[in-house]
Amino acid sequence: MSQAAPASTRWWFTTMDGAERRTFWGCFAGWGLDALDVQIFSLVLPTLLGVAFLHDKAQAGLIATVTLLCSALGGWLAGALADRLGRVRMLQVTVAWFAVFTLLCGFAQNAGQLLAFRALMGFGFGGEWAVGAVLIAETVRARYRGRAVGTVQSAWAVGWALAVGVFVLVSSLTPPSLTWRIAFFVGVLPAVLVFFLRRYVPEPPIAANAAGTRPPLREALAIFGRGLWKRTLLCSLLATGAQGGYYALTTWLPQFLTTQRGLALFALGGTLAIVIAGAFTGYLVGAWLADRLGRRRTLIITAVLAFVIVIPYATVDFNVVVFDILAFPLGFVSSAYFSAIGPLFSEQYPTAVRGSGQGFTYNFGRGIGAVFPALVGLLADRIGISVAIAVFTGIAYALLGVAAALLGEAPGVPLTDIEPEADA
């Protein structure tokens, strides 16, 4: 009778126990469905600008930016509440919140209403990552933390693919005046996940054991105090580079492909499918590298690669074959670095303020990075959308690499052992 292979020789996922797997799939589904709701907006942008009530790219960029700014505030608030009320409970709240307000976007009658609904949706969108990343990091064993948290990040590509599929299907069956509304209506589906989270996903023991020492919300400001403020500053700068580069690219990618490359509906869907396949692969490889090479090295390497690939893709007039071939590495490099961010940030803060720390820093980056799509939109009519994308992604990737080089890391170290710096 053969014996089971030792844990060291088996794929890390097969060594998870039941609670770890349920938590993994709950967080994976939450992040993927979050992506579905977020990416729908960029996909319907050409329709909103062409046949609906958006008048110019600056107005569209403003809506994208306000959504991200609200997600920044929502992420910090949700993270702080997760320290106080529990990870699983707040994950349920954030998922239900962004699903309902995405649905309401489909009922908007003018730009002001759409702006308001997207802004409110942003609160839940920002909170989901903050809570989910802490939840999975605290649940899985330390030696696989990078791979587990990073692989959850790959769900973003799955949600993005679902959004593209929904958009292409709806666009082919309905007139443009209805396409964008129906696409937003589909965004209510994530609310179903709440029932799974409530029934099957437990609170991490490390968080439950810290319940008696969790700070009230006013003490969430402890992440700016002695021993933690340097980590908070560097994590915030790193997240700004990561988010700014990503949103400057992906918010305007469908518009870029449509107007600069002249892609029609199905050609657009095909090119985006290649980009998304590259992104999914990038997330998985980045997750593996985060444990193999370390969080910092992974971030620096992928930031450099992103700079090398994205700038030429946006600015050089390649022929169609080369353009499509480069779509895969474009998706890969613009996503791979995210897989190392979750585990790196989870290793910066003690349990009592981990939700506040991760929620603030990641979403501070999202808030500042939110300005990038608006700036691209404002400058696109003056210098061209290609050059505008290249300028702001280049700045973002440089910031990401420098901040990563200055941060410490603790791969394999139990999160219960994370302490503030002795002298700050």
Side-chain angles (χ1 to χ4, degrees):
M1 184 176 180
S2 61
Q3 295 181 336
S8 60
T9 64
R10 286 183 284 157
W11 185 44
W12 64 271
F13 189 82
T14 65
T15 68
M16 283 185 169
D17 59 31
E20 287 176 316
R21 291 188 184 186
R22 291 192 299 273
T23 301
F24 174 88
W25 287 119
C27 293
F28 187 95
W31 190 230
L33 293 170
D34 202 346
L36 168 69
D37 282 9
V38 172
Q39 294 294 351
I40 282 175
F41 177 74
S42 64
L43 290 166
V44 301
L45 258 184
T47 303
L48 290 169
L49 287 166
V51 301
F53 42 68
L54 294 189
H55 303 301
D56 51 44
K57 296 183 182 70
Q59 190 177 47
L62 176 64
I63 292 176
T65 292
V66 170
T67 302
L68 296 175
L69 287 172
C70 289
S71 75
L73 179 58
W76 188 19
L77 177 61
L81 288 172
D83 285 334
R84 185 69 174 171
L85 303 177
R87 317 315 195 195
V88 176
R89 180 181 300 178
M90 285 309 303
L91 187 59
Q92 295 170 21
V93 171
T94 58
V95 169
W97 184 282
F98 73 71
V100 169
F101 282 104
T102 299
L103 170 68
L104 292 177
C105 288
F107 292 103
Q109 300 299 310
N110 52 56
Q113 290 180 12
L114 182 61
L115 174 64
F117 289 141
R118 291 297 290 179
L120 290 168
M121 174 268 185
F123 283 100
F125 159 49
E128 196 284 335
W129 185 92
V131 180
V134 173
L135 175 59
I136 186 63
E138 292 181 341
T139 299
V140 300
R141 60 206 70 186
R143 65 181 300 186
Y144 298 136
R145 186 162 58 236
R147 273 165 280 189
V149 179
T151 303
V152 165
Q153 192 78 43
S154 72
W156 185 269
V158 176
W160 191 5
L162 288 173
V164 171
V166 167
F167 174 73
V168 171
L169 177 62
V170 173
S171 297
S172 64
L173 297 176
T174 62
S177 59
L178 291 178
T179 294
W180 66 273
R181 293 189 185 276
I182 295 174
F184 280 131
F185 291 158
V186 173
V188 76
L189 292 178
V192 178
L193 178 63
V194 172
F195 298 102
F196 174 84
L197 295 172
R198 180 181 296 275
R199 184 175 178 85
Y200 296 109
V201 177
E203 187 74 3
I206 182 176
N209 293 337
T213 62
R214 288 176 187 156
L217 291 181
R218 61 183 177 82
E219 293 186 23
L221 295 175
I223 62 173
F224 303 107
R226 292 181 57 84
L228 292 176
W229 72 268
K230 289 182 181 178
R231 299 178 190 180
T232 298
L233 174 62
L234 290 173
C235 286
S236 298
L237 292 175
L238 189 155
T240 299
Q243 303 278 9
Y246 184 81
Y247 287 116
L249 175 66
T250 59
T251 298
W252 291 104
L253 186 58
Q255 182 74 9
F256 167 75
L257 295 175
T258 301
T259 60
Q260 299 296 303
R261 301 303 182 187
L263 299 187
L265 174 63
F266 287 102
L268 171 64
T271 300
L272 287 176
I274 298 172
V275 174
I276 292 167
F280 183 74
T281 305
Y283 285 127
L284 295 179
V285 172
W288 179 78
L289 290 175
D291 278 338
R292 185 72 174 179
L293 299 181
R295 291 47 158 143
R296 289 189 303 170
R297 287 184 181 178
T298 298
L299 286 166
I300 293 169
I301 291 171
T302 52
V304 171
L305 290 175
F307 189 92
V308 170
I309 295 294
V310 173
I311 306 303
Y313 191 87
T315 57
V316 178
D317 189 18
F318 295 112
N319 64 50
V320 175
V321 175
V322 175
F323 186 76
D324 283 341
I325 290 174
L326 288 178
F328 186 90
L330 174 76
F332 183 99
V333 299
S334 62
S335 301
Y337 55 77
F338 279 105
S339 294
I341 293 177
L344 177 66
F345 283 14
S346 71
E347 294 162 359
Q348 305 302 314
Y349 296 98
T351 300
V353 294
R354 184 167 295 118
S356 299
Q358 285 192 235
F360 174 81
T361 54
Y362 189 85
N363 288 287
F364 175 89
R366 180 177 282 158
I368 302 301
V371 177
F372 286 44
L375 292 175
V376 171
L378 286 170
L379 295 180
D381 292 330
R382 300 181 182 179
I383 63 176
I385 192 170
S386 299
V387 177
I389 290 174
V391 168
F392 289 107
T393 54
I395 293 171
Y397 297 142
L399 181 59
L400 167 62
V402 171
L406 297 175
L407 267 170
E409 60 182 350
V413 175
L415 293 181
T416 52
D417 294 343
I418 303 297
E419 298 291 343
E421 297 176 26
D423 184 16

